[in-house]
Short mmCIF file of all heavy atoms in Angstrom, two decimals:
data_model
loop_
_atom_site.label_atom_id
_atom_site.label_comp_id
_atom_site.label_asym_id
_atom_site.label_seq_id
_atom_site.Cartn_x
_atom_site.Cartn_y
_atom_site.Cartn_z
N ARG A 1336 55.26 87.86 -2.55
CA ARG A 1336 54.69 88.37 -3.80
C ARG A 1336 55.07 87.48 -4.97
O ARG A 1336 56.14 86.89 -4.99
CB ARG A 1336 55.22 89.77 -4.09
CG ARG A 1336 54.73 90.84 -3.15
CD ARG A 1336 55.38 92.19 -3.46
NE ARG A 1336 55.00 93.20 -2.49
CZ ARG A 1336 54.04 94.10 -2.69
NH1 ARG A 1336 53.37 94.13 -3.83
NH2 ARG A 1336 53.74 94.98 -1.73
N LYS A 1337 54.15 87.44 -5.95
CA LYS A 1337 54.43 86.74 -7.19
C LYS A 1337 53.61 87.43 -8.27
O LYS A 1337 52.39 87.33 -8.30
CB LYS A 1337 54.04 85.27 -7.09
CG LYS A 1337 54.27 84.47 -8.37
CD LYS A 1337 53.78 83.05 -8.19
CE LYS A 1337 53.88 82.25 -9.48
NZ LYS A 1337 53.36 80.88 -9.31
N GLU A 1338 54.31 88.19 -9.10
CA GLU A 1338 53.64 88.94 -10.17
C GLU A 1338 52.54 89.82 -9.57
O GLU A 1338 52.82 90.67 -8.74
CB GLU A 1338 53.12 87.98 -11.25
CG GLU A 1338 54.26 87.21 -11.91
CD GLU A 1338 53.79 86.11 -12.84
OE1 GLU A 1338 52.58 85.86 -12.92
OE2 GLU A 1338 54.66 85.48 -13.48
N ARG A 1339 51.28 89.63 -9.95
CA ARG A 1339 50.20 90.49 -9.43
C ARG A 1339 49.62 89.96 -8.12
O ARG A 1339 48.66 90.53 -7.59
CB ARG A 1339 49.08 90.58 -10.48
CG ARG A 1339 49.51 91.33 -11.75
CD ARG A 1339 48.33 91.50 -12.72
NE ARG A 1339 47.85 90.23 -13.22
CZ ARG A 1339 46.68 89.70 -12.91
NH1 ARG A 1339 45.83 90.34 -12.11
NH2 ARG A 1339 46.31 88.54 -13.44
N LEU A 1340 50.17 88.91 -7.58
CA LEU A 1340 49.65 88.31 -6.36
C LEU A 1340 50.50 88.72 -5.16
O LEU A 1340 51.71 88.83 -5.26
CB LEU A 1340 49.65 86.78 -6.48
CG LEU A 1340 49.01 86.18 -7.72
CD1 LEU A 1340 49.11 84.65 -7.66
CD2 LEU A 1340 47.57 86.62 -7.84
N LYS A 1341 49.81 88.92 -4.03
CA LYS A 1341 50.50 89.21 -2.78
C LYS A 1341 49.78 88.50 -1.64
O LYS A 1341 48.55 88.53 -1.57
CB LYS A 1341 50.54 90.70 -2.49
CG LYS A 1341 51.35 91.06 -1.24
CD LYS A 1341 51.41 92.56 -1.00
CE LYS A 1341 50.24 93.05 -0.20
NZ LYS A 1341 50.40 94.47 0.23
N VAL A 1342 50.53 87.86 -0.79
CA VAL A 1342 49.97 87.17 0.37
C VAL A 1342 50.62 87.71 1.62
O VAL A 1342 51.83 87.92 1.66
CB VAL A 1342 50.21 85.64 0.28
CG1 VAL A 1342 49.79 84.96 1.57
CG2 VAL A 1342 49.45 85.05 -0.89
N THR A 1343 49.82 87.93 2.65
CA THR A 1343 50.34 88.29 3.97
C THR A 1343 49.93 87.23 4.97
O THR A 1343 48.94 86.51 4.76
CB THR A 1343 49.84 89.67 4.43
OG1 THR A 1343 48.41 89.62 4.56
CG2 THR A 1343 50.23 90.76 3.44
N PHE A 1344 50.68 87.15 6.06
CA PHE A 1344 50.45 86.11 7.06
C PHE A 1344 50.68 86.73 8.43
O PHE A 1344 51.80 87.13 8.75
CB PHE A 1344 51.43 84.97 6.81
CG PHE A 1344 51.15 83.68 7.56
CD1 PHE A 1344 49.95 83.46 8.22
CD2 PHE A 1344 52.10 82.68 7.57
CE1 PHE A 1344 49.71 82.27 8.89
CE2 PHE A 1344 51.87 81.48 8.23
CZ PHE A 1344 50.66 81.27 8.88
N ASP A 1345 49.63 86.84 9.21
CA ASP A 1345 49.71 87.43 10.55
C ASP A 1345 49.38 86.34 11.56
O ASP A 1345 48.20 86.00 11.75
CB ASP A 1345 48.75 88.60 10.68
CG ASP A 1345 48.94 89.39 11.95
OD1 ASP A 1345 49.26 88.77 12.99
OD2 ASP A 1345 48.74 90.62 11.93
N THR A 1346 50.42 85.79 12.20
CA THR A 1346 50.20 84.67 13.13
C THR A 1346 49.56 85.14 14.43
O THR A 1346 48.99 84.31 15.15
CB THR A 1346 51.51 83.94 13.41
OG1 THR A 1346 52.47 84.89 13.89
CG2 THR A 1346 52.04 83.27 12.16
N THR A 1347 49.64 86.44 14.71
CA THR A 1347 48.99 86.95 15.92
C THR A 1347 47.49 87.03 15.71
O THR A 1347 46.69 86.61 16.55
CB THR A 1347 49.53 88.34 16.28
OG1 THR A 1347 50.95 88.24 16.45
CG2 THR A 1347 48.89 88.88 17.55
N LEU A 1348 47.09 87.57 14.56
CA LEU A 1348 45.67 87.63 14.22
C LEU A 1348 45.13 86.30 13.71
O LEU A 1348 43.91 86.14 13.57
CB LEU A 1348 45.44 88.69 13.13
CG LEU A 1348 45.65 90.15 13.52
CD1 LEU A 1348 45.44 91.06 12.32
CD2 LEU A 1348 44.69 90.55 14.64
N LYS A 1349 46.03 85.37 13.41
CA LYS A 1349 45.65 84.08 12.81
C LYS A 1349 44.89 84.33 11.50
O LYS A 1349 43.77 83.83 11.29
CB LYS A 1349 44.83 83.24 13.77
CG LYS A 1349 45.61 82.81 15.02
CD LYS A 1349 44.80 81.85 15.88
CE LYS A 1349 45.56 81.44 17.11
NZ LYS A 1349 46.74 80.60 16.80
N GLN A 1350 45.54 85.08 10.64
CA GLN A 1350 44.88 85.50 9.42
C GLN A 1350 45.89 85.62 8.28
O GLN A 1350 47.02 86.05 8.47
CB GLN A 1350 44.21 86.85 9.65
CG GLN A 1350 43.47 87.41 8.46
CD GLN A 1350 42.86 88.77 8.76
OE1 GLN A 1350 43.52 89.80 8.76
NE2 GLN A 1350 41.56 88.77 9.05
N SER A 1351 45.41 85.28 7.07
CA SER A 1351 46.18 85.53 5.86
C SER A 1351 45.30 86.31 4.89
O SER A 1351 44.10 86.03 4.77
CB SER A 1351 46.62 84.21 5.22
OG SER A 1351 47.27 84.45 3.98
N LEU A 1352 45.89 87.27 4.23
CA LEU A 1352 45.19 88.03 3.19
C LEU A 1352 45.84 87.72 1.85
O LEU A 1352 47.07 87.64 1.75
CB LEU A 1352 45.27 89.53 3.47
CG LEU A 1352 44.64 90.02 4.77
CD1 LEU A 1352 44.82 91.53 4.92
CD2 LEU A 1352 43.17 89.66 4.85
N PHE A 1353 45.00 87.59 0.83
CA PHE A 1353 45.45 87.28 -0.52
C PHE A 1353 44.96 88.40 -1.43
O PHE A 1353 43.76 88.66 -1.47
CB PHE A 1353 44.87 85.92 -0.94
CG PHE A 1353 45.17 85.50 -2.34
CD1 PHE A 1353 46.40 84.94 -2.65
CD2 PHE A 1353 44.23 85.63 -3.35
CE1 PHE A 1353 46.68 84.53 -3.94
CE2 PHE A 1353 44.50 85.22 -4.64
CZ PHE A 1353 45.73 84.66 -4.93
N HIS A 1354 45.88 89.06 -2.10
CA HIS A 1354 45.54 90.20 -2.94
C HIS A 1354 45.88 89.89 -4.40
O HIS A 1354 46.95 89.34 -4.69
CB HIS A 1354 46.34 91.44 -2.54
CG HIS A 1354 46.24 91.80 -1.09
ND1 HIS A 1354 45.24 92.62 -0.58
CD2 HIS A 1354 47.02 91.45 -0.04
CE1 HIS A 1354 45.42 92.75 0.72
NE2 HIS A 1354 46.48 92.07 1.08
N ILE A 1355 44.97 90.28 -5.28
CA ILE A 1355 45.25 90.25 -6.71
C ILE A 1355 45.12 91.69 -7.19
O ILE A 1355 44.03 92.28 -7.14
CB ILE A 1355 44.26 89.37 -7.50
CG1 ILE A 1355 44.20 87.96 -6.93
CG2 ILE A 1355 44.65 89.33 -8.99
CD1 ILE A 1355 43.15 87.08 -7.60
N THR A 1356 46.21 92.29 -7.63
CA THR A 1356 46.17 93.66 -8.11
C THR A 1356 45.87 93.68 -9.61
O THR A 1356 46.12 92.69 -10.31
CB THR A 1356 47.49 94.39 -7.85
OG1 THR A 1356 48.55 93.65 -8.49
CG2 THR A 1356 47.79 94.47 -6.37
N ALA A 1357 45.32 94.81 -10.07
CA ALA A 1357 44.98 94.97 -11.50
C ALA A 1357 44.24 93.74 -12.01
O ALA A 1357 44.64 93.11 -13.00
CB ALA A 1357 46.24 95.24 -12.31
N SER A 1358 43.16 93.40 -11.31
CA SER A 1358 42.47 92.14 -11.61
C SER A 1358 41.92 92.12 -13.03
O SER A 1358 41.57 93.16 -13.62
CB SER A 1358 41.34 91.93 -10.60
OG SER A 1358 40.43 93.01 -10.65
N GLN A 1359 41.83 90.90 -13.56
CA GLN A 1359 41.37 90.67 -14.93
C GLN A 1359 40.27 89.62 -14.90
O GLN A 1359 40.24 88.78 -13.99
CB GLN A 1359 42.54 90.16 -15.78
CG GLN A 1359 43.75 91.07 -15.79
CD GLN A 1359 44.98 90.37 -16.33
OE1 GLN A 1359 44.94 89.21 -16.73
NE2 GLN A 1359 46.09 91.11 -16.38
N PRO A 1360 39.39 89.62 -15.90
CA PRO A 1360 38.35 88.58 -15.95
C PRO A 1360 38.93 87.16 -15.87
O PRO A 1360 38.31 86.27 -15.30
CB PRO A 1360 37.66 88.84 -17.28
CG PRO A 1360 37.80 90.31 -17.48
CD PRO A 1360 39.16 90.65 -16.93
N ALA A 1361 40.14 86.97 -16.41
CA ALA A 1361 40.78 85.64 -16.36
C ALA A 1361 41.14 85.23 -14.94
O ALA A 1361 41.46 84.05 -14.70
CB ALA A 1361 42.03 85.63 -17.24
N ASP A 1362 41.12 86.16 -14.00
CA ASP A 1362 41.39 85.82 -12.60
C ASP A 1362 40.16 85.22 -11.92
O ASP A 1362 40.24 84.76 -10.77
CB ASP A 1362 41.81 87.07 -11.81
CG ASP A 1362 43.13 87.66 -12.29
OD1 ASP A 1362 44.01 86.87 -12.70
OD2 ASP A 1362 43.27 88.89 -12.28
N SER A 1363 39.03 85.22 -12.59
CA SER A 1363 37.80 84.67 -12.01
C SER A 1363 37.97 83.18 -11.76
O SER A 1363 38.29 82.42 -12.69
CB SER A 1363 36.61 84.91 -12.94
OG SER A 1363 36.40 86.30 -13.12
N ALA A 1364 37.80 82.78 -10.52
CA ALA A 1364 38.00 81.38 -10.11
C ALA A 1364 37.66 81.31 -8.62
O ALA A 1364 37.35 82.32 -7.99
CB ALA A 1364 39.44 80.94 -10.33
N THR A 1365 37.76 80.12 -8.08
CA THR A 1365 37.66 79.95 -6.62
C THR A 1365 39.07 79.87 -6.05
O THR A 1365 39.92 79.16 -6.59
CB THR A 1365 36.86 78.68 -6.27
OG1 THR A 1365 35.53 78.83 -6.74
CG2 THR A 1365 36.84 78.46 -4.77
N TYR A 1366 39.30 80.59 -4.98
CA TYR A 1366 40.61 80.63 -4.35
C TYR A 1366 40.51 79.98 -2.97
O TYR A 1366 39.63 80.32 -2.17
CB TYR A 1366 41.12 82.06 -4.26
CG TYR A 1366 41.44 82.62 -5.63
CD1 TYR A 1366 40.45 83.22 -6.40
CD2 TYR A 1366 42.71 82.49 -6.18
CE1 TYR A 1366 40.72 83.70 -7.67
CE2 TYR A 1366 43.00 82.97 -7.44
CZ TYR A 1366 41.99 83.57 -8.19
OH TYR A 1366 42.28 84.03 -9.45
N LEU A 1367 41.41 79.04 -2.73
CA LEU A 1367 41.41 78.26 -1.50
C LEU A 1367 42.67 78.55 -0.70
O LEU A 1367 43.76 78.62 -1.27
CB LEU A 1367 41.41 76.76 -1.82
CG LEU A 1367 40.33 76.23 -2.75
CD1 LEU A 1367 40.66 74.81 -3.18
CD2 LEU A 1367 38.99 76.25 -2.05
N CYS A 1368 42.51 78.71 0.61
CA CYS A 1368 43.69 78.73 1.46
C CYS A 1368 43.83 77.36 2.12
O CYS A 1368 42.84 76.64 2.29
CB CYS A 1368 43.62 79.84 2.50
SG CYS A 1368 42.37 79.66 3.78
N ALA A 1369 45.05 77.03 2.45
CA ALA A 1369 45.32 75.72 3.04
C ALA A 1369 46.40 75.84 4.10
O ALA A 1369 47.39 76.54 3.91
CB ALA A 1369 45.75 74.72 1.98
N LEU A 1370 46.17 75.16 5.22
CA LEU A 1370 47.18 75.06 6.26
C LEU A 1370 47.79 73.67 6.23
O LEU A 1370 47.13 72.71 5.82
CB LEU A 1370 46.55 75.27 7.64
CG LEU A 1370 45.89 76.60 7.92
CD1 LEU A 1370 45.31 76.58 9.32
CD2 LEU A 1370 46.88 77.71 7.77
N ILE A 1371 49.02 73.60 6.68
CA ILE A 1371 49.65 72.30 6.76
C ILE A 1371 49.76 71.96 8.23
O ILE A 1371 50.52 72.56 8.97
CB ILE A 1371 51.00 72.31 6.06
CG1 ILE A 1371 50.78 72.73 4.60
CG2 ILE A 1371 51.65 70.96 6.14
CD1 ILE A 1371 52.03 73.12 3.89
N SER A 1372 48.92 71.00 8.64
CA SER A 1372 48.85 70.61 10.04
C SER A 1372 49.50 69.25 10.18
O SER A 1372 48.86 68.23 10.00
CB SER A 1372 47.38 70.56 10.46
OG SER A 1372 47.24 70.04 11.75
N GLY A 1373 50.81 69.22 10.45
CA GLY A 1373 51.50 67.94 10.41
C GLY A 1373 52.07 67.71 9.02
O GLY A 1373 51.77 68.44 8.08
N THR A 1374 52.85 66.67 8.86
CA THR A 1374 53.59 66.48 7.63
C THR A 1374 52.69 66.26 6.43
O THR A 1374 52.97 66.72 5.33
CB THR A 1374 54.56 65.28 7.77
OG1 THR A 1374 55.40 65.52 8.89
CG2 THR A 1374 55.40 65.11 6.52
#
Side-chain angles (χ1 to χ4, degrees):
Chain A
R1336 291 176 185 262
K1337 178 183 175 182
E1338 298 172 355
R1339 293 185 295 112
L1340 309 180
K1341 185 178 87 171
V1342 172
T1343 63
F1344 192 12
D1345 189 325
T1346 55
T1347 302
L1348 291 178
K1349 295 186 181 293
Q1350 180 181 79
S1351 175
L1352 299 178
F1353 176 80
H1354 307 272
I1355 305 175
T1356 58
S1358 59
Q1359 304 166 1
D1362 295 326
S1363 298
T1365 296
Y1366 292 87
L1367 307 168
C1368 68
L1370 299 179
I1371 302 165
S1372 173
T1374 304

